[in-house]
Amino acid sequence: MRFVGNIIWFVFGGAVLSLMWLLGAVLFALTIVGLPLSRGAIEMAKLSEWAANPSASS
C-alpha cells in the first residue's frame, strides 16, 4: 500500500514540490550564508518525493 501511495503522491505533486525545493537549494547556495539552508532544502526535496514512506529516500 505504501508503494501505491508513493506513486500517487509523486505523480500528483511530489515531483513538482521536490523540484521547487531543489530550485530553492540552488538559490540558497549562491551565497556563503545560505549553504546550510541549501543542505536543508535538499533534504526536504528528498522527503517530499516519497511522502508515504520517508525512509525510502534515505
Side-chain angles (χ1 to χ4, degrees):
M1 194 66 180
R2 287 185 200 169
F3 180 74
V4 174
N6 277 331
I7 297 301
I8 291 171
W9 169 254
F10 187 77
V11 170
F12 290 110
V16 174
L17 189 60
S18 177
L19 288 175
M20 292 180 71
W21 275 111
L22 289 175
L23 176 66
V26 169
L27 292 176
F28 285 139
L30 293 176
T31 65
I32 298 294
V33 176
L35 285 175
L37 295 173
S38 176
R39 185 173 180 191
I42 291 171
E43 292 300 318
M44 287 298 295
K46 285 187 219 176
L47 289 173
S48 66
E49 284 179 353
W50 309 113
N53 187 10
S55 64
S57 64
S58 299

